[in-house]
Amino acid sequence: MLNSIFSSYFPFAYNYFSTLIESTLKNERKFPQGIILEGADTKVQYLFAFELARVLSCQKNRTLDCDCLSCKWIRSFSNPNINPVSQIHYKPIGDETKTIISAKQALEIEKSLTLTSDNYRFFIFFSSKTYQYNNKELELFDELNYDTTKIDYSIEPLTYQTFHTTTLNALLKSIEEPPIKTVFVFLTKSKEDILPTIVSRCLTFKLGGKRQKNALNVSSLLDDYPNINYQKALFISQNFQDFVKDNPYSQEEVLNGFLEFLVNNINNSNLESRIIRDIAFVKEAISYSRASINDKNIFDNLFLKIARGG
């Protein structure tokens, strides 16, 4: 179903959606009506959103090389049910705005939803402007067999500057009560750049970038581990929060980096029992990260627990 290329970029989201789509197609679960994809690589997020739409909309066997009309249209960015929404996409007649996604666009979406459809409809929100790519920047599009002649625009994260509160508020009703098989996807570096009332109505996925195995080293963030008191705990937590925000790593990837650091030091006889205890704390934090709990709560809770020993 989903192209395995994406498993090397964000394995958790890939596995989650692969399972969810299978259940959705069997009518065992409903696909979410709102999704936030956050991370540094908005271009990969964009293609992942299209891949979700392709598999759900496929009219045949959902294979990677499917040649059904829907898959062909999606790969050529011309499927009328899969709608990019940016400063230069999905513009209604009379909308002269150029630097923001406007309330007129939100109202146009609401109007379109009054028309019934048996097919999945996606609205993919991102910031954009006219842009000329070089061949290297389009390699992933080529790998996924997308028509690169249609990509003459940048794919950038949403911000409060480009996605105003007025526009977001105009979307609320559409997101709260959409027709069946309607999905809103928001691409951003951080969900903090989106109105909280929108965030609360969406599933959020922190997506890292493509990384080589064992590439993440968090030792520089730990500030003299294991000598962590309450003051240091919050300082280290902030280090981890800043690192996640400024780099293309998810919570889970950073926590796994910390886990690897602990495992590599477990042979230290003076610290073995403490490290074993802290490994359990980190594994617990990883399970919480998969529930889309925000960075501050995850890291504050982890390092305060390490400081007090439980």
Side-chain angles (χ1 to χ4, degrees):
M1 287 191 182
L2 292 177
N3 196 310
S4 61
I5 286 174
F6 293 105
S7 66
S8 64
Y9 285 88
F10 22 82
F12 173 71
Y14 173 83
N15 291 331
Y16 177 89
F17 279 108
S18 294
T19 302
L20 177 60
I21 287 173
E22 288 184 8
S23 298
T24 298
L25 295 174
K26 295 176 183 176
N27 295 318
E28 295 172 350
R29 297 172 66 185
K30 289 185 178 180
F31 200 80
Q33 62 196 34
I35 299 170
I36 295 172
L37 302 179
E38 60 173 341
D41 199 334
T42 314
K43 185 168 61 177
V44 181
Q45 295 173 13
Y46 184 70
L47 285 168
F48 187 55
F50 268 84
E51 179 69 358
L52 295 176
R54 185 192 69 79
V55 174
L56 286 169
S57 304
C58 181
Q59 298 167 345
K60 290 178 67 175
N61 51 18
R62 297 182 171 82
T63 57
L64 300 183
D65 59 351
C66 180
D67 61 354
C68 77
L69 187 59
S70 178
C71 287
K72 285 182 178 179
W73 278 356
I74 288 175
R75 290 194 179 101
S76 65
F77 300 100
S78 55
N79 189 311
N81 290 311
I82 315 304
N83 303 285
V85 183
S86 76
Q87 297 94 320
I88 58 176
H89 296 88
Y90 211 84
K91 302 286 286 186
I93 295 173
D95 186 353
E96 302 296 331
T97 57
K98 296 180 180 179
T99 59
I100 64 169
I101 298 172
S102 70
K104 288 184 179 179
Q105 289 169 274
L107 294 174
E108 186 72 10
I109 290 171
E110 184 177 359
K111 180 180 174 182
S112 75
L113 294 179
T114 62
L115 304 174
T116 60
S117 174
D118 293 329
N119 301 311
Y120 270 93
R121 291 184 285 198
F122 272 65
F123 295 90
I124 304 169
F125 293 80
F126 61 103
S127 294
S128 186
K129 59 188 176 185
T130 302
Y131 181 79
Q132 185 65 48
Y133 288 90
N134 60 46
N135 290 336
K136 185 171 181 58
E137 291 174 307
L138 292 172
E139 285 179 353
L140 184 57
F141 289 83
D142 286 327
E143 284 186 72
L144 295 166
N145 199 28
Y146 277 81
D147 184 355
T148 56
T149 65
K150 302 289 183 69
I151 304 298
D152 56 359
Y153 51 88
S154 64
I155 302 167
E156 302 167 21
L158 297 168
T159 66
Y160 274 123
Q161 288 70 41
T162 59
F163 202 24
H164 287 189
T165 300
T166 303
T167 306
L168 290 162
N169 283 328
L171 277 171
L172 277 178
K173 182 179 178 182
S174 297
I175 296 174
E176 286 177 336
E177 302 174 359
I180 60 171
K181 295 186 176 181
T182 299
V183 182
F184 296 89
V185 183
F186 304 93
L187 311 182
T188 183
K189 185 176 180 180
S190 170
K191 65 183 178 184
E192 295 175 3
D193 293 328
I194 299 179
L195 195 69
T197 49
I198 295 288
V199 175
S200 67
R201 290 160 173 80
C202 298
L203 288 181
T204 301
F205 293 86
K206 181 81 112 175
L207 306 183
K210 191 173 185 179
R211 294 292 162 191
Q212 299 298 320
K213 187 176 180 182
N214 300 327
L216 180 55
N217 185 339
V218 300
S219 59
S220 62
L221 307 176
L222 287 166
D223 190 47
D224 196 28
Y225 175 88
N227 301 312
I228 299 177
N229 56 27
Y230 286 106
Q231 184 177 358
K232 280 189 176 180
L234 295 177
F235 176 77
I236 295 171
S237 172
Q238 191 62 55
N239 284 347
F240 274 71
Q241 292 172 56
D242 292 342
F243 185 82
V244 169
K245 186 174 183 179
D246 296 336
N247 294 276
Y249 292 103
S250 65
Q251 284 177 359
E252 185 172 353
E253 288 174 310
V254 174
L255 289 167
N256 277 320
F258 186 20
L259 188 63
E260 182 177 356
F261 168 84
L262 293 173
V263 170
N264 288 340
N265 286 279
I266 201 168
N267 291 328
N268 185 327
S269 59
N270 295 325
L271 298 174
E272 183 175 353
S273 61
R274 179 161 187 172
I275 289 175
I276 290 173
R277 182 202 66 190
D278 291 348
I279 285 174
F281 293 157
V282 175
K283 287 182 177 179
E284 181 182 45
I286 290 172
S287 69
Y288 291 150
S289 75
R290 293 171 180 171
S292 299
I293 297 173
N294 67 53
D295 296 341
K296 179 175 175 55
N297 287 345
I298 287 284
F299 293 119
D300 278 359
N301 182 66
L302 171 61
F303 288 106
L304 286 171
K305 185 174 287 189
I306 287 174
R308 65 175 179 260

